[in-house]
Amino acid sequence: MSHPPLTVAGMTTPEFSDPAPAAGACLPPCGVARGSGHQVRIADLSVDDQVLAELLDAQPAEAWPGLVRRALTVGAAGLVDMGVGVGLRALDERVRATLDAVATEAHTRARDTLDEAGRALTAQFDPEMRSSLVARAIAEFGATHDRLLGELDPSLSTSHTARFIAAVTELLGPGGRLAETLTAALDPDADGSALARLGASVDARFQELRDLIMHESGRAAEAERGTAKGGEFEETVELRLRELARGLGAVVERVGREPGALGADSVVGDFVVTFQGGARLVVEAKNVAKLSLAGRNGILGELDRAAANRQADFAICVSAQDAYPAEVGHFGVYGSRALVVDGGDGVLLGVAVRWARAVLAAAPASAAELDPGFILERLARLKKLAQRFVTGRRTLSDVRSSVERVRDDLDAMRCDLLELVDDIGREVAPTSQSSDAVARVA
């Protein structure tokens, strides 16, 4: 970008200390004149320079003369320092010579440095030089290689491989410690050996399993027999109840497989006896070896559930075996519940049913007229008579068993006698005569 010629106001005013030129005198054609000392006069100076123009534009106009004077001073000093007085060609040659000398020196020093580095590198990495790092590393590697091969050589008895093979042979070889240990551990005849203990454990487990199977089989068979016996006893109880109901004008229902008032899954209570007047009696038949009295699974609680399930007013449990606790005996009354032992003849069951009918027949209004002492005395006598009845029946059963045993012995003796007679007849007489004799004896 070009600028119009710049004329600085005040620059044309002579600043010489000498007197001004006479009128009509003129400056030299170049417009520049030297004064005394260091004074220089510049007239009608115009400069087309971007840098100078921008410098002046950045300052106020009154500061322009001072800026121009400083610019001329600085520029003149720079030209002097750059050697304008010597000449540009000579300056260029001197600069070139200096640069050549510097380049030559740098090249020489770089070559010397590279040569020195190459010699140092060769001294450290030349494998032919014993003192170099590579030569020493190769020597150390060779020594290590030889030492490693020596440690792994199985032909050397002191090598690690040879010692390892010897130790393995001692442990795992024929007759080694492992073979001895296994032999001792797997000997079934050695007391305390692992195999003997294992065999004993297996035998014990098989014995436990056999006992468990036998026990479960026995329980299953016993349960099956118990179920069969229970079914047979229920048939007997039903027969006895119907015989009793015929004389009492009552109705008997067998409801053991039908749900009751307690829900679809509740079948407690085997028989319901309905007396004249609408009173209801529930009977539970049991053919088990043991019955508890109280508690969650006690027979009294079960009778309460049976009475609620069948909507009965009195409950009886008849047991085919002497399964009640000792304090119950063969006949016991607990409020509106009665416990009785009846093997099937129906005697004590009939007593319990008649007791229940009598209790149910007594109206609640007349309960105050009952004599508790009388009732308790009759109940105690009833229990004693029931005990005597059961004892007598058991004695009769024992006598009947004894009679049966005697009859069986007599039958066996008769057979033996006949056999002896036959033997004698065959020995002492012809076949026909012997047969006649045997027939006559018989």
Side-chain angles (χ1 to χ4, degrees):
M1 176 178 178
S2 62
H3 295 273
L6 179 63
T7 301
V8 182
M11 289 297 296
T12 59
T13 303
E15 295 183 1
F16 295 101
S17 59
D18 295 338
C26 63
L27 292 173
C30 62
V32 179
R34 283 280 283 120
S36 61
H38 298 294
Q39 291 183 351
V40 177
R41 184 181 177 190
I42 302 174
D44 300 325
L45 176 64
S46 296
V47 179
D48 185 3
D49 185 77
Q50 179 183 355
V51 177
L52 181 59
E54 292 177 353
L55 179 62
L56 292 178
D57 291 341
Q59 300 294 330
E62 60 269 16
W64 286 1
L67 285 176
V68 171
R69 282 195 296 270
R70 287 198 299 274
L72 290 175
T73 302
V74 172
L79 289 175
V80 172
D81 291 339
M82 293 174 62
V84 172
V86 179
L88 294 178
R89 184 178 299 277
L91 179 62
D92 184 61
E93 291 177 354
R94 289 177 62 180
V95 171
R96 287 179 179 278
T98 302
L99 293 177
D100 291 341
V102 171
T104 302
E105 180 67 19
H107 179 71
T108 302
R109 291 189 179 185
R111 185 177 62 250
D112 294 342
T113 301
L114 290 176
D115 293 342
E116 182 65 25
R119 287 191 296 272
L121 186 63
T122 301
Q124 293 297 328
F125 294 98
D126 188 0
E128 301 299 331
M129 299 179 64
R130 298 182 60 184
S131 61
S132 66
L133 292 176
V134 175
R136 292 199 300 271
I138 292 175
E140 292 178 1
F141 178 77
T144 303
H145 177 265
D146 295 339
R147 186 169 60 254
L148 180 62
L149 291 180
E151 294 294 342
L152 298 179
D153 189 359
S155 62
L156 298 176
S157 60
T158 58
S159 67
H160 293 302
T161 303
R163 292 199 296 271
F164 175 74
I165 293 175
V168 170
T169 302
E170 181 182 359
L171 178 64
L172 304 178
R177 294 198 302 272
L178 180 61
E180 294 177 356
T181 304
L182 290 177
T183 301
L186 300 179
D187 187 2
D189 298 328
D191 294 336
S193 68
L195 188 59
R197 292 196 302 271
L198 177 62
S201 176
V202 171
D203 291 342
R205 292 299 177 87
F206 273 112
Q207 184 64 33
E208 293 176 1
L209 182 60
R210 176 182 175 277
D211 295 342
L212 180 61
I213 293 174
M214 295 298 294
H215 180 66
E216 291 297 328
S217 300
R219 289 182 60 184
E222 182 64 26
E224 185 176 355
R225 289 193 298 271
T227 302
K229 290 191 298 182
E232 294 175 357
F233 184 62
E234 287 184 7
E235 297 288 342
T236 302
V237 171
E238 181 181 8
L239 178 63
R240 300 307 178 205
L241 285 175
R242 294 191 184 280
E243 291 175 354
L244 290 169
R246 187 168 53 246
L248 299 176
V251 177
V252 177
E253 299 176 80
R254 187 170 182 176
V255 293
R257 292 182 174 85
E258 300 175 5
L262 296 182
D265 297 330
S266 181
V267 294
V268 62
D270 296 324
F271 303 95
V272 172
V273 180
T274 305
F275 298 108
Q276 293 180 354
R280 290 167 63 89
L281 165 69
V282 62
V283 178
E284 182 75 19
K286 296 290 186 181
N287 190 2
V288 295
K290 185 176 182 181
L291 289 170
S292 59
L293 188 62
R296 179 178 178 83
N297 298 320
I299 188 60
L300 295 180
E302 184 174 351
L303 288 180
D304 290 338
R305 292 192 297 273
N309 193 43
R310 303 305 176 187
Q311 297 178 333
D313 306 299
F314 201 97
I316 295 175
C317 177
V318 53
S319 175
Q321 306 179 49
D322 191 4
Y324 298 120
E327 63 268 23
V328 177
H330 293 82
F331 187 89
V333 177
Y334 297 85
S336 60
R337 299 158 298 188
L339 307 179
V340 60
V341 178
D342 192 318
D345 53 18
V347 175
L348 292 183
L349 177 60
V351 172
V353 171
R354 284 177 170 80
W355 177 274
R357 188 187 64 162
V359 171
L360 295 176
S366 61
E369 302 175 1
L370 297 178
D371 185 358
F374 177 82
I375 299 297
L376 292 177
E377 189 270 335
R378 292 300 189 274
L379 181 60
R381 289 179 58 188
L382 185 60
K383 294 185 68 174
K384 290 181 180 180
L385 289 174
Q387 182 66 37
R388 289 177 56 190
F389 176 80
V390 172
T391 303
R393 186 174 57 187
R394 185 178 299 116
T395 303
L396 181 60
S397 298
D398 293 340
V399 171
R400 184 182 296 111
S401 299
S402 300
V403 172
E404 294 294 334
R405 286 196 300 272
V406 172
R407 181 181 294 110
D408 293 340
D409 289 340
L410 292 176
D411 290 340
M413 291 171 61
R414 178 177 179 278
C415 293
D416 291 339
L417 289 172
L418 293 177
E419 184 177 356
L420 288 174
V421 170
D422 289 340
D423 291 340
I424 294 172
R426 284 192 296 269
E427 182 68 24
V428 300
T431 305
S432 58
Q433 296 178 356
S434 175
S435 299
D436 295 339
V438 172
R440 287 194 299 272
V441 172

